[in-house]
Amino acid sequence: MQSRRFLLAAAALTLSASTSAQPPANATGLIRENARQQISPHVTVILDDNAPFVPNVGIVVGDRATLIVDTGLGERNGRIVLSEARKVSKNTEFYTAATHYHPEHDLGATAFPASAKMLRWRDQQREADELGADITKRFAGFSPALAELLKDATFRPADIVFDGAIVLDLGGVHVRVWGVGPTHTGGDTVFFVEEDKVLLAGDVVMPVFVAASGQSSSITKWLADLDEFDKLNPTKVIPAHGRMGGVELIRRQREYLAAVQTGVAAAKRDGRSLEDATKQLAEPIAAKFPDLAPGGGPATGRVTAAIQAAYREAK
């Protein structure tokens, strides 16, 4: 029970850093139809156009099977994604997956045929089991539109729960899938399309300040993950939300998180409390990286969460 309360608190902090408690009045939570873009020989994306509660969707097409990464809020969105996938592929074999367990990424999978195989990294599955119902209820409370999308929404049972890394052979194209948390969440999962050198990075790499949980994220692990991504030298990086880019997205986040880690370590060595370190560092770090400021809300909010996580780890 104590572990569950801790996980719920950590999830609440992560959500407060990544979503707005008062979504815009026009927030529908719907993935756009007929807005797909083919960005490489095997990868098509549906970008969120910065719409709240909408993910960037990845569709990876092989000769034999199709992988869908992030399916949207509830079954209605899942049907949109399935329809768009069928426009770019005649495959009847599907894999579905999510970059993490938050509802806009995972809860559209029930729209896919019963034969589709749902896969999750073990830590992502644990979060879905322990936190999924509570977070779904919280998202449904944001607006009537989201409540309607999430009515009766459930997490599709996983057909494949894996440890370590796996490689999906879709026929002529291979996708490496592995867990990288605790970063944005404990179960963050990324996907690298090997032949196309496309990285679907979820909320671990973003065009804005990444959203850490001060209680559970590891800045040390995050930096190690970013180093691993850089070595892949991806030609395209698809974040969970916002504009796609290239390896520069990875390197800019690494610069930012390294500045947080270095500044926090020095402050803690000087005997500063977390409160004092935050007052000392949050605004100067936000000012140093103006290009990473989110579109809504103060930039220092996400920086403060990263400082909390780094302070917890600093010696």
Side-chain angles (χ1 to χ4, degrees), residues 193-248:
V193 185
E194 294 179 346
E195 284 78 4
D196 296 22
K197 296 181 74 66
V198 172
L199 179 68
L200 294 109
D203 275 88
V204 184
V205 182
M206 299 289 285
V208 297
F209 290 119
V210 289
S213 164
Q215 299 301 311
S216 58
S217 295
S218 169
I219 303 304
T220 299
K221 181 65 166 62
W222 214 318
L223 286 166
D225 291 332
L226 293 171
D227 285 341
E228 183 176 2
F229 301 161
D230 197 342
K231 291 175 184 176
L232 295 172
N233 194 30
T235 57
K236 292 282 194 304
V237 177
I238 314 302
H241 303 280
R243 64 176 174 83
M244 62 182 173
V247 72
E248 77 281 353

Side-chain angles (χ1 to χ4, degrees), residues 4 23 51-52 74 83 89 116 134 137 158-159 175 186 219 227-229 247 256 264 271 289 295:
R4 177 176 171 78
S83 175
S89 168
D134 298 275
K137 182 177 180 180
D159 300 285
V175 184
I219 303 304
D227 285 341
E228 183 176 2
F229 301 161
V247 72
Y256 157 59
V264 167
F289 298 91

Side-chain angles (χ1 to χ4, degrees), residues 1-312:
M1 180 61 70
Q2 183 176 4
S3 173
R4 177 176 171 78
R5 285 196 297 268
F6 172 81
L7 286 167
L8 286 169
L13 284 167
T14 297
L15 281 171
S16 67
S18 59
T19 62
S20 169
Q22 293 297 327
N26 63 348
T28 66
L30 285 174
I31 293 167
R32 294 181 298 157
E33 298 181 73
N34 300 310
R36 63 193 180 279
Q37 304 175 43
Q38 185 170 354
I39 62 168
S40 69
H42 302 96
V43 181
T44 294
V45 297
I46 308 171
L47 299 181
D48 66 356
D49 198 30
N50 292 310
F53 304 102
V54 176
N56 290 333
V57 177
I59 304 170
V60 187
V61 180
D63 295 333
R64 177 182 55 79
T66 300
L67 167 67
I68 309 296
V69 179
D70 287 354
T71 53
L73 276 171
E75 194 162 307
R76 181 177 174 186
N77 275 303
R79 289 196 299 269
I80 293 171
V81 175
L82 177 58
S83 175
E84 296 301 309
R86 284 175 167 161
K87 292 172 184 177
V88 298
S89 168
K90 296 188 181 301
N91 291 330
T92 58
E93 185 175 350
F94 288 98
Y95 292 91
T96 60
T99 54
H100 54 294
Y101 79 102
H102 288 169
E104 78 271 34
H105 301 279
D106 201 320
L107 288 183
T110 53
F112 281 74
S115 59
K117 296 181 177 63
M118 181 79 205
L119 61 102
R120 292 191 186 97
W121 181 40
R122 190 169 302 279
D123 282 10
Q124 186 184 111
Q125 182 65 59
R126 174 181 55 82
E127 285 187 316
D129 291 341
E130 297 186 4
L131 307 175
D134 298 275
I135 286 183
T136 300
K137 182 177 180 180
R138 177 172 175 170
F139 269 65
F142 286 147
S143 75
L146 301 188
E148 180 62 28
L149 289 174
L150 290 171
K151 184 180 179 181
D152 300 323
T154 59
F155 286 82
R156 183 175 180 138
D159 300 285
I160 302 169
V161 177
F162 63 93
D163 299 296
I166 62 172
V167 176
L168 293 179
D169 181 355
L170 303 178
V173 61
H174 300 81
V175 184
R176 180 186 170 202
V177 188
W178 72 106
V180 296
T183 44
H184 173 63
T185 67
D188 286 307
T189 304
V190 298
F191 306 78
F192 184 63
V193 185
E194 294 179 346
E195 284 78 4
D196 296 22
K197 296 181 74 66
V198 172
L199 179 68
L200 294 109
D203 275 88
V204 184
V205 182
M206 299 289 285
V208 297
F209 290 119
V210 289
S213 164
Q215 299 301 311
S216 58
S217 295
S218 169
I219 303 304
T220 299
K221 181 65 166 62
W222 214 318
L223 286 166
D225 291 332
L226 293 171
D227 285 341
E228 183 176 2
F229 301 161
D230 197 342
K231 291 175 184 176
L232 295 172
N233 194 30
T235 57
K236 292 282 194 304
V237 177
I238 314 302
H241 303 280
R243 64 176 174 83
M244 62 182 173
V247 72
E248 77 281 353
L249 295 182
I250 297 168
R251 292 171 182 172
R252 190 60 169 160
Q253 289 294 337
R254 185 172 56 193
E255 290 174 5
Y256 157 59
L257 290 176
V260 170
Q261 187 182 63
T262 300
V264 167
K268 196 168 186 179
R269 283 196 303 269
D270 289 344
R272 293 184 182 273
S273 66
L274 172 59
E275 182 180 5
D276 287 343
T278 301
K279 288 179 180 178
Q280 174 192 354
L281 297 170
E283 289 188 4
I285 289 176
K288 185 177 180 181
F289 298 91
D291 53 307
L292 296 181
T300 52
R302 292 193 175 194
V303 177
T304 294
I307 289 170
Q308 291 173 347
Y311 192 92
R312 182 171 45 79

